[in-house]
Structure formats: C-alpha cells, structure tokens
Amino acid sequence: MNESGDTRYELYYWNGIQGRGEFVRLAFEEAGVPYVDVARLPPKKGGGDIAIQRLLEGEGPGLLPFAPPLLKVGELVLAQVANILFFVGPRLGLAPESEAARAEVNQLQLTIADFIAEVHDTHHPIAVGKRYETQKVAARRRAAFFVEHRLPRFLSYFEDVLARNTRARGRFLVGNSLTYADLSMFQTLTGLEYAFPTAFGLLAPSLPRLSALRARVEARPKIAAYLGSEQRLPNNESDIFRRYPELDAAPARRDS
Amino acid sequence: MNESGDTRYELYYWNGIQGRGEFVRLAFEEAGVPYVDVARLPPKKGGGDIAIQRLLEGEGPGLLPFAPPLLKVGELVLAQVANILFFVGPRLGLAPESEAARAEVNQLQLTIADFIAEVHDTHHPIAVGKRYETQKVAARRRAAFFVEHRLPRFLSYFEDVLARNTRARGRFLVGNSLTYADLSMFQTLTGLEYAFPTAFGLLAPSLPRLSALRARVEARPKIAAYLGSEQRLPNNESDIFRRYPELDAAPARRDS
C-alpha cells in the first residue's frame, strides 16, 4: 500500500543532529518517498529552527504539538515519533496489513522510544535543560547502572523478539517483511555503538540476530545511499547518542 | 462503537499500585466493560505477580512483551499503555472515528507517557532498579528542575490544548466527546496533586480548563463509583506518584 503519491510531507526537526527526527527520515528514505526537511532549508526559504518554533507556538493547523519531530501532512501536524510512524507506515509500505500486527510494530516502536529516553538520560539525569557539564557526577552513576543493567536488558529483549519470530527466521521484528520498527532498531544499534563502543562491543557477540538485522538494513540500497550522502548527519555530542568515554564502562559481569 | 460484548479482556499489572495499569483500568471502568485484573486474583486462581512473570517470560501467544501493563485479548498480548489504549479505545467507545483524530488522541497519550516518565524519574534519577534512599541527593536536584521547569511546561501545554479546542469549548482534549486521553489526563492530575501538593497547588489557579476537566471526569457516574470502591488502590510510595515532601518545592518564580 502506497498512497503517498500526491501527498506533501514536511518534517520539522532541529537542524544539526540526527535525534528523534532520524527515525522518521529513515522510513521516508527506505520508501523512496520525497519529504521536505524544513528546518534544514535556509530561513529565507522558510527553513531554520524558526519554522519549528512557529508550529510549537500554534501557528499550524490541528492539535498543538509539544515537541519535535513534527510531520506536517495536509491539515495534520503530527508529533511523537511512534505516532508519526504509525500514521505514515502503511502509506510508505513499511507496516503490516492487520490491526494486530500493526499493534505489535507500534508496541516495539514504543519500547524503542523508552530505550532511547533512557539513553538520553545517561548524560542528562538531572535536568534536560542544562548542560552535561552541570550533571556529570550523576551522569556517571546513571550511566553505570544503564550499562550494567538496562542496556543488556533492552538488547536481550529485542534479540529474543527476533528469535521468537520463527516464521521469518528472525529476519524481521514483526511478520515476514521490513517494517519501520526494523529501521528504528537499526538506528538504535548504530547509535549505541557510537555512544558506548566498549559496553556495546562486549554485548554484541551475544546478539547475533540483532547484529544481522542491523547489517541487512544497512545494506538495503536506499538506506546505504542515504547513509553515504550528505543528508545523513554525523553523530555528535549535541545528540541523544553521545560519545563520552567516562560514561562507557564495561559491563561488570561481562563473562557471565 | 462497542465491539467488546464477546471479548474477554485480561489486564496484567503489578498488584498494590495504581501505576501505569491505572490508565487502562480507567478506560474499562468508564466504558463499563468487564475485565479481569489478573494479578489481583489469588495465585490459586491463576493470579499474583507470577501470572505477569509468565507472560514476560514468553509463555503467552504473539509478541514477547517487555514490561507491564499487559492486556491479553484473544491471541494478542498487548503492552505499552498508549498501544493498549489505541487498540481498545474504539472498542470501548473512547476514541474518535477518524484516523486523523485518533492520531491526535494517540499523540496526547504519548505526551502524557513522557510526562509520567519524568515524574517517575524525580524519585529515581539514577537507577530504576534501586531504592529511592540510594539516590535522594540526585532526586532532590532532579525534582527541583522538574517542579520549576518541566511541571509548568507540561501542564501549560495541556491547558493550551484545551483552550484551542474551541469546538468543544475546551471540555475535551480532542474533538467533542470524551476519549481515553481525557481519562489519562485526569489520572495524571490527581497523581500530581498527591505527589506535589505545594507545587501543583500553586500552579492550579493558572489551569482553569484542566481543573474543570479533572472535576468533570471525577464526577462521571462510573468513574465516581470506581474511585469510591475498593478496586481503586490508594496512592502510595511504591508507585509512580510518590509524596516525598523533600521533592515538592514551590516553583521558584511562582509570582511571575
């Protein structure tokens, strides 16, 4: 199902980082469906962060959004990554047909969202609005717990989800074809490898299905082309996934 | 639309707290649709936390869940509050008809979920798996930022959403009738008043529409009956909303 031929999709997300916008970008890139990355246009052409600010201040149609990413589709301004992807997934050919299977994909996407929020809070455990340098001591403590307990728990969960999808021999998270949850899983894994090279590297051998999923997504022609293009922003320390060596400890029980 | 006549709904959520399960309970209570609150049955009758554990270990059908609340509906085991409510909302008569309006309700539910996660982390800023007493210093810092910045930001956002819904004269978050997002907003407001009586009390006068929404939900006959019953668990300090006076500071700029 691809109903997107005549639709104009406008993504609004802070320029300069992959962030939560990247989960939306990857879906459009894989589908080969055009979208305007509005904030990356020059302000003279209606771009810049000011374009996002206007929607947050209520100048758009429909429901007032709380935070980017935002996707403007006609008279709708959608917010929340999982909500955006649930809406566009079927239109981009990246969601299953049945209501039950769509609920499963949505469920995984929401679990990825929780995972991402925990990753973010490893470097911002006290105050989302203050600099990392103001909360480094707490960040070390939170990151140590994350690396030892939460990181392996989330990753082994997703590995188990793949293992249980025997119909697809573990090649996809849900059903027998690629969904937006697979793309988001890829994005999560690449981010984790960037932010926690030691901790993630130690866990990776115990995650053969996730590693294979990641490699397969990375090799898909449209994704590979996107990743090699200037549109794909590099990882950096203003993003969700940040490489702060002091937060990347080896898991305490790595040989258990 | 109410398709639930023949369906058996089983909720699985930790006994002893309202928690995230309460958002699901309120929807069923308002709809007057029966559901089994499985973990609150005695273990001899298939209840207790062990019943949840079995589903988390993969003994149920379908997708492996990560965490409760879980809703078993036939061969589906749904997890994630927003996903459960998106699925059952139309069946309980608590969701709008159109895809666009359903996306708006979902978007608000996800923003409430983010808000709730931030409330939780005021008392657990370092390690979800460790006791509050191990992270009290960081909790004070996180709660101070939350009370000063995040609490007013989230609440004024939802107040603005109501103000913009002029078609319903601000009586509902989306459209012109009650949705599960309104019930979840009620639950959030009562929890905030319990956990942050001072901070919330200072903000409440600037939130007339939210206060009115809360009062209207509370007065709905089925909700009122439920709140007065033994099924409604009291707030307590094992829950998401905890009354720790040391975390409830007056907003710093309350007269601005």
Side-chain angles (χ1 to χ4, degrees):
Chain A
M1 175 168 30
N2 189 321
E3 312 162 0
S4 59
D6 300 329
T7 307
R8 178 182 167 89
Y9 293 104
E10 293 183 357
L11 174 66
Y12 293 75
Y13 194 69
W14 309 120
N15 197 359
I17 59 170
Q18 295 175 12
R20 289 182 171 84
E22 198 69 6
F23 298 100
V24 181
R25 289 192 189 104
L26 285 172
F28 279 96
E29 295 292 341
E30 169 61 26
V33 170
Y35 63 104
V36 184
D37 207 334
V38 177
R40 294 173 74 180
L41 298 174
K44 283 182 187 175
K45 294 191 177 180
D49 285 352
I50 185 70
I52 303 174
Q53 212 59 51
R54 277 197 294 265
L55 289 184
L56 295 178
E57 286 165 8
E59 291 187 23
L63 184 69
L64 188 69
F66 184 75
L70 312 175
L71 188 74
K72 192 160 177 290
V73 192
E75 291 300 296
L76 268 180
V77 179
L78 298 165
Q80 290 279 358
V81 170
N83 186 49
I84 293 170
L85 291 174
F86 191 89
F87 187 90
V88 300
R91 293 165 168 83
L92 301 180
L94 291 170
E97 284 296 320
S98 78
E99 183 192 19
R102 284 188 189 177
E104 294 190 335
V105 173
N106 187 42
Q107 183 171 317
L108 289 168
Q109 191 68 40
L110 291 171
T111 306
I112 289 172
D114 289 346
F115 192 10
I116 294 294
E118 292 198 23
V119 168
H120 172 273
D121 280 9
T122 59
H123 50 76
H124 277 78
I126 301 297
V128 62
K130 293 188 180 174
R131 288 165 58 245
Y132 167 61
E133 287 70 22
T134 67
Q135 46 201 310
K136 284 182 78 166
V137 174
R140 270 189 195 241
R141 289 183 65 208
R142 178 144 186 159
F145 186 85
F146 175 81
V147 160
E148 186 179 355
H149 296 283
R150 303 298 284 173
L151 182 65
R153 176 150 178 235
F154 274 105
L155 289 174
S156 65
Y157 165 72
F158 290 111
E159 179 76 11
D160 288 346
V161 167
L162 287 171
R164 264 166 74 104
N165 191 8
T166 50
R167 193 161 64 95
R169 284 175 296 160
R171 288 179 304 131
F172 307 105
L173 287 163
V174 174
N176 216 343
S177 62
L178 188 81
T179 69
Y180 59 81
D182 296 311
L183 300 174
S184 293
M185 197 71 243
F186 158 79
Q187 173 67 8
T188 303
L189 295 169
T190 59
L192 289 169
E193 182 173 64
Y194 174 78
F196 302 99
T198 304
F200 184 77
L202 285 162
L203 289 168
S206 63
L207 307 166
R209 292 172 187 84
L210 279 177
S211 302
L213 174 69
R214 177 192 161 177
R216 274 195 311 277
V217 170
E218 200 160 13
R220 292 181 75 92
K222 286 173 182 160
I223 295 292
Y226 169 66
L227 296 176
S229 75
E230 289 194 357
Q231 284 303 304
R232 169 78 166 184
L233 295 165
N235 291 106
N236 65 58
E237 280 57 55
S238 300
D239 208 330
I240 297 168
F241 293 103
R242 302 187 182 188
R243 180 171 284 188
Y244 292 140
E246 63 272 25
L247 304 186
D248 175 29
R253 279 168 279 171
R254 66 210 209 205
D255 53 359
S256 70
Chain B
M1 176 167 30
N2 189 323
E3 310 162 0
S4 59
D6 300 330
T7 308
R8 179 181 166 88
Y9 293 104
E10 293 183 357
L11 174 66
Y12 292 75
Y13 193 69
W14 308 120
N15 198 358
I17 60 170
Q18 295 176 13
R20 289 183 172 82
E22 198 69 7
F23 298 101
V24 181
R25 289 192 190 105
L26 286 172
F28 279 96
E29 295 292 343
E30 168 60 26
V33 170
Y35 62 105
V36 184
D37 208 335
V38 178
R40 294 173 73 180
L41 297 174
K44 283 181 187 174
K45 294 191 177 181
D49 285 352
I50 185 71
I52 303 173
Q53 213 57 53
R54 277 198 294 266
L55 288 184
L56 294 178
E57 286 166 6
E59 292 188 21
L63 184 67
L64 187 70
F66 184 73
L70 312 175
L71 188 75
K72 193 160 176 291
V73 192
E75 290 300 296
L76 267 180
V77 178
L78 297 166
Q80 290 278 356
V81 170
N83 187 50
I84 292 170
L85 291 174
F86 190 89
F87 187 89
V88 299
R91 292 165 169 81
L92 301 180
L94 291 170
E97 285 296 319
S98 78
E99 182 191 21
R102 285 189 188 177
E104 293 190 333
V105 173
N106 187 43
Q107 184 170 315
L108 289 169
Q109 191 68 40
L110 290 170
T111 306
I112 290 172
D114 288 347
F115 192 10
I116 294 293
E118 293 198 22
V119 169
H120 172 273
D121 280 9
T122 60
H123 50 76
H124 277 79
I126 301 298
V128 63
K130 293 189 180 171
R131 288 165 57 244
Y132 167 62
E133 287 69 23
T134 67
Q135 45 200 310
K136 284 181 80 167
V137 174
R140 272 189 193 241
R141 289 182 65 205
R142 178 144 185 160
F145 187 86
F146 175 80
V147 160
E148 187 179 355
H149 296 283
R150 302 298 284 172
L151 182 64
R153 178 154 177 232
F154 274 104
L155 290 174
S156 65
Y157 165 72
F158 289 112
E159 180 76 12
D160 289 347
V161 168
L162 287 172
R164 264 166 73 103
N165 190 7
T166 50
R167 194 162 65 93
R169 286 174 296 159
R171 288 178 304 131
F172 306 105
L173 287 164
V174 174
N176 216 342
S177 61
L178 188 82
T179 69
Y180 59 80
D182 296 310
L183 300 174
S184 293
M185 197 72 243
F186 158 80
Q187 173 66 10
T188 303
L189 295 170
T190 59
L192 289 169
E193 181 172 65
Y194 174 79
F196 302 99
T198 304
F200 184 75
L202 286 162
L203 289 168
S206 64
L207 308 166
R209 293 172 188 84
L210 279 178
S211 301
L213 173 69
R214 178 195 160 176
R216 272 195 311 276
V217 170
E218 200 160 13
R220 292 180 76 91
K222 287 173 181 161
I223 295 293
Y226 169 65
L227 296 176
S229 75
E230 289 195 355
Q231 284 304 303
R232 170 76 167 186
L233 296 165
N235 292 105
N236 65 58
E237 281 55 57
S238 300
D239 208 329
I240 297 168
F241 293 103
R242 301 187 183 189
R243 181 171 282 186
Y244 292 140
E246 63 272 24
L247 304 187
D248 175 28
R253 277 168 278 170
R254 65 210 207 203
D255 53 1
S256 69

